[in-house]
Amino acid sequence: MASQILNRFKQFDAYAKTLEDFRVKTASGAFITILGGTVMILLIISELHTYMSPNISEELFVDTSRGHKIRINFDIIVPRISCNYLVLDAMDSSGEQHLQIDHNIFKRRLDLDGNPIEEAKKEEIMTSTAVPNNSSDIAQITCGSCYGAAFNDSQCCNTCEDVREAYKMRRWALPDLSTVEQCKNDESLEKVNLALKEGCQLFGNMDVNRVGGSFHIAPGKSFTINHIHVHDVQPFSSSVFNTTHIIRHLSFGSDIKNANTAPLDGVTGLAKEG
């Protein structure tokens, strides 16, 4: 029985002699044949696997184009802060600050379930202020109180924004806006009431200097004190805001078609406080 199995095993010998008289099949020859065939099969499978799974090679190179600006495209949802209370700022390493960027930026109000409340609106920067049309309007203008925040007796606070600025310069906490006469009919009071009752979607693009820098979306009006960039979140505290956000799209450059698979698309950042 053992001799029959050995004879059959010898049939695998691929190195037998050409002539029948000298054709000798051995166990070692059969072993070498099977071993060689197995190695070739493994090499073929390995090469096929390498071919079917291409290696992704990352490459970093210097952009030598002459453009001084680079475009940032984004679409971000902040589900728990209203559009009126969100501000987009950008700063670069050259020291230039772009405060409250609104050009080419659209905001869409959302309810707390993420459904649109109204169509997206482009924020416009107002460059002119209203002036009195006749003498009767001029006669009605009086010097409003700054509620103790005035630096001198000649300083007037005729609008809710003037009161805010006076307290900001003093670095005092704002009083209850409902008790401020200038703020009773002001839209800012309604904005504060809706600050945490709506969500917001910000999308669009902006052109910034082609240098190192950053841009951020944060609640509260932004301003600079002693070269420090801060946001005024009065009358709230910074821990009240739920800044959880969803990055629907974020890419750089003007060729958006080739940026549809940006690595941050679909990422959700959880920040329930501050």
Side-chain angles (χ1 to χ4, degrees), residues 50-222:
T50 303
Y51 178 78
M52 299 299 294
S53 303
N55 184 28
I56 300 176
S57 177
E58 298 183 0
E59 182 179 0
L60 180 65
F61 61 92
V62 178
D63 188 355
T64 58
S65 60
R66 295 184 178 181
H68 298 294
K69 298 286 186 178
I70 185 172
R71 174 161 294 183
I72 302 177
N73 313 289
F74 64 91
D75 185 353
I76 299 175
I77 294 178
V78 183
R80 291 295 182 270
I81 303 178
S82 67
C83 289
N84 290 330
Y85 221 71
L86 282 177
V87 174
L88 171 65
D89 297 335
M91 294 173 287
D92 57 45
S93 58
S94 66
E96 182 178 353
Q97 295 187 2
H98 311 274
L99 301 181
Q100 301 182 40
I101 294 178
D102 288 322
H103 290 295
N104 298 323
I105 305 299
F106 293 84
K107 293 181 179 179
R108 177 182 286 120
R109 295 172 58 197
L110 307 174
D111 60 23
L112 295 180
D113 294 327
N115 301 315
I117 297 177
E118 60 184 14
E119 293 297 325
K121 294 182 179 180
K122 180 179 179 181
E123 298 290 330
E124 297 292 344
I125 298 178
M126 303 301 294
T127 57
S128 60
T129 56
V131 296
N133 294 327
N134 49 53
S135 58
S136 62
D137 293 335
I138 297 176
Q140 294 176 0
I141 296 179
T142 59
C143 185
S145 172
C146 293
Y147 295 86
F151 283 95
N152 50 62
D153 295 337
S154 61
Q155 183 176 355
C156 301
C157 296
N158 296 326
T159 65
C160 186
E161 186 62 26
D162 291 341
V163 178
R164 288 173 175 270
E165 290 296 329
Y167 272 80
K168 185 187 302 180
M169 295 302 297
R170 288 280 191 178
R171 298 186 181 181
W172 293 353
L174 279 175
D176 186 0
L177 294 181
S178 61
T179 63
V180 178
E181 188 67 27
Q182 294 90 324
C183 297
K184 288 184 177 180
N185 297 323
D186 192 86
E187 294 181 356
S188 60
L189 186 59
E190 182 181 358
K191 294 179 181 179
V192 171
N193 293 333
L194 295 177
L196 306 179
K197 298 179 181 179
E198 294 182 358
C200 185
Q201 178 185 6
L202 297 95
F203 61 95
N205 58 75
M206 58 182 174
D207 296 327
V208 296
N209 293 334
R210 196 183 289 267
V211 295
S214 65
F215 77 94
H216 62 271
I217 299 171
K221 183 178 180 180
S222 59

